Amino acid sequence: METESIKLHTVPENVLKKRRESKQAPQRDSKSQKGKKGGRWRSSFTRIEYLVKTEKDASKGARALKIRQKRLNPDSFPEDIKTVTLIWRKPTKLTLCSSAQRILKSLGLHRKSQAILVSLTPKMYANLRAVSPYVQWGQPSLKSLKDLMYKKATLNIDGQPQKLSNNRMIEDKFGKFGLVCVEDWIDEIYNLKPHFAEAVSVLKPFYLNAPQGKKKDVTTHFDTTTNKELLGNAIDRL
């Protein structure tokens, strides 16, 4: 009786190779996600030249900040400021030193492109002059402030950010101060009235885009004189 030959089930080598690669792919993807930004691969390795340059730029910025602080004239504070001041942190690529970071955080500017409304004081003015390469500031007109509020104002209501949308939000929050509509609230902020601190306490920082145009539009600061029309045009471009 002849023995029948038994055929073994074989898998082509290229199929086995594809199976191995498919099993290893999820592991590679999970590791590569850490270095990806915007769909492009970014290595986690930092070149020593970059670290040295960053440290040199930070040291240079710290020395420049100290020089600006020493040259500041105590009598240079503009006493005629009677309206609210807008401060905007520029989205520059300049390296921040630790002193500049502390000043910006004390002003409430934790991120680039943030803008806040404040009542300018001599101490705050001195800090602004010290970090002038990183910020812009000035007194907007009432029209520019209204446009900014209606377009970009976000309130912190019960711990939740909410876009300013109606008068009810203002009346519920500030009705006890006699502010029953958005116009009353903006007027309280613009003219630095007695309840200014309460009015801006719920206002989250604005995020303003860099102006479209030449680089000098970002590197220079607003005119801090009484030329509100010039400042208003600058705010409209942000």
Side-chain angles (χ1 to χ4, degrees):
M1 182 177 180
E2 297 182 359
T3 59
E4 296 181 358
S5 60
I6 301 175
K7 293 184 179 182
L8 298 177
H9 178 67
T10 60
V11 180
E13 184 178 356
N14 61 339
V15 176
L16 293 174
K17 186 176 179 180
K18 288 182 179 180
R19 288 179 181 177
R20 284 198 303 269
E21 290 178 352
S22 63
K23 291 180 180 179
Q24 295 174 359
Q27 298 178 359
R28 290 198 303 267
D29 292 342
S30 62
K31 292 180 180 179
S32 62
Q33 291 299 328
K34 298 179 181 179
K36 280 189 176 180
K37 186 177 181 181
R40 297 176 58 189
W41 168 259
R42 291 181 179 269
S43 174
S44 59
F45 175 75
T46 304
R47 298 182 65 87
I48 188 65
E49 292 87 351
Y50 173 78
L51 297 176
V52 172
K53 182 180 182 301
T54 302
E55 185 63 27
K56 286 183 178 180
D57 291 344
S59 300
K60 183 179 179 180
R63 290 194 298 270
L65 188 146
K66 289 182 179 179
I67 293 174
R68 287 192 296 270
Q69 289 177 328
K70 289 181 179 179
R71 291 180 178 177
L72 181 64
N73 184 1
D75 299 328
S76 63
F77 177 72
E79 298 289 347
D80 58 341
I81 294 180
K82 298 180 181 179
T83 57
V84 70
T85 299
L86 175 75
I87 307 174
W88 178 57
R89 180 174 172 179
K90 296 184 288 189
T92 63
K93 295 182 179 180
L94 297 175
T95 303
L96 282 174
C97 62
S98 57
S99 299
Q101 288 179 350
R102 286 195 298 269
I103 292 175
L104 291 174
K105 287 183 179 180
S106 68
L107 293 172
L109 300 171
H110 300 276
R111 299 174 182 272
K112 293 180 180 180
S113 300
Q114 280 188 339
I116 57 173
L117 297 171
V118 299
S119 175
L120 196 63
T121 62
K123 181 179 180 181
M124 190 180 298
Y125 180 75
N127 287 335
L128 288 175
R129 297 299 299 180
V131 295
S132 57
Y134 314 105
V135 296
Q136 294 178 337
W137 71 92
Q139 287 70 47
S141 65
L142 182 58
K143 178 182 180 299
S144 297
L145 183 62
K146 285 183 178 180
D147 292 342
L148 184 64
M149 289 293 199
Y150 282 114
K151 291 178 182 178
K152 292 184 175 289
T154 302
L155 307 183
N156 188 6
I157 306 296
D158 298 328
Q160 298 294 329
Q162 297 183 21
K163 191 77 174 178
L164 179 64
S165 57
N166 54 65
N167 292 327
R168 175 66 65 181
M169 299 173 67
I170 300 300
E171 185 177 2
D172 292 344
K173 197 70 180 178
F174 306 109
K176 56 185 177 182
F177 301 127
L179 309 179
V180 296
C181 64
V182 176
E183 293 290 330
D184 292 342
W185 179 61
I186 294 177
D187 181 69
E188 187 80 17
I189 293 175
Y190 178 75
N191 293 300
L192 304 177
K193 291 187 176 180
H195 300 294
F196 168 81
E198 291 83 355
V200 297
S201 62
V202 298
L203 185 62
K204 296 183 72 66
F206 305 98
Y207 278 91
L208 304 181
N209 300 322
Q212 300 296 326
K214 300 179 181 179
K215 290 184 179 180
K216 67 179 182 179
D217 293 334
V218 180
T219 56
T220 57
H221 64 74
F222 295 146
D223 182 11
T224 55
T225 64
T226 56
N227 193 342
K228 298 183 186 298
E229 183 179 357
L230 179 62
L231 177 60
N233 294 334
I235 293 174
D236 293 339
R237 289 187 290 112
L238 296 178

